[in-house]
Amino acid sequence: MHTVSAAQGLALRYAKIVDDRDFESMRDILSDNFSQKGPYWQCDGAAAFIKTLDALKQNYSATFHMVGNQLGQWHNNYYEGETYCIASHIYEKDEQSRKLEMAIRYQERVEYIDGHYRYTRRDLDIIWSSDQALNS
């Protein structure tokens, strides 16, 4: 039987993959037909999504995703849930280190496909964001 912790573990792996900049490892946790949409964009397909992650390397010197509340349940071979996350992004502007921080609520679907748990959808809603200078 599928456990909630199996699905929740994907959120932790997702955060680690992004923060480690090991984007090709996303293939291990996404279905081929994975989709994600945000406030002003949508990405269809795992390959297309992984390619968009390169923007993180180009725009931020580091990221840090703190995974918080996770709620959801299994319905046969798919899981519907929600994960809270604080996502911090470090960058330079005018020779000053800055941090863009976002509170995110992911609405996600996980499916058990060929013996593996994979995201098929992970939409995000940005609850708030803050952009501030970091202390030197």
Side-chain angles (χ1 to χ4, degrees):
M1 198 80 220
H2 307 294
T3 65
V4 172
S5 63
Q8 291 171 335
L10 284 181
L12 301 176
R13 290 180 62 198
Y14 182 103
K16 182 168 177 40
I17 288 167
V18 171
D19 292 343
D20 287 349
R21 316 274 175 122
D22 182 21
F23 304 139
E24 282 301 311
S25 290
M26 276 290 177
R27 295 183 190 286
D28 297 336
I29 65 170
L30 304 178
S31 68
D32 290 340
N33 64 343
F34 172 79
S35 70
Q36 185 173 77
K37 65 180 175 179
Y40 304 107
W41 54 272
Q42 179 163 342
C43 189
D44 294 312
F49 175 73
I50 291 166
K51 188 172 185 172
T52 67
L53 292 174
D54 281 333
L56 293 175
K57 284 182 187 176
Q58 296 169 10
N59 296 315
Y60 304 106
S61 60
T63 59
F64 188 86
H65 291 74
M66 181 60 66
V67 177
N69 301 352
Q70 293 181 278
L71 298 169
Q73 64 182 15
W74 281 95
H75 309 277
N76 295 318
N77 280 339
Y78 74 93
Y79 168 93
E80 292 281 341
E82 178 176 59
T83 297
Y84 287 39
C85 176
I86 300 293
S88 301
H89 303 75
I90 307 303
Y91 69 101
E92 297 287 322
K93 181 178 180 183
D94 300 327
E95 298 182 22
Q96 169 69 53
S97 293
R98 300 190 62 84
K99 176 176 68 169
L100 172 62
E101 193 167 71
M102 295 177 277
I104 298 171
R105 290 175 69 172
Y106 288 101
Q107 303 302 313
E108 53 212 6
R109 181 178 172 119
V110 173
E111 294 185 27
Y112 189 67
I113 302 169
D114 297 328
H116 301 280
Y117 296 106
R118 299 189 188 278
Y119 283 117
T120 56
R121 176 181 49 80
R122 194 158 204 238
D123 297 337
L124 64 97
D125 184 18
I126 299 171
I127 306 304
W128 55 258
S129 66
S130 172
D131 191 338
Q132 57 194 1
L134 292 176
N135 296 333
S136 300

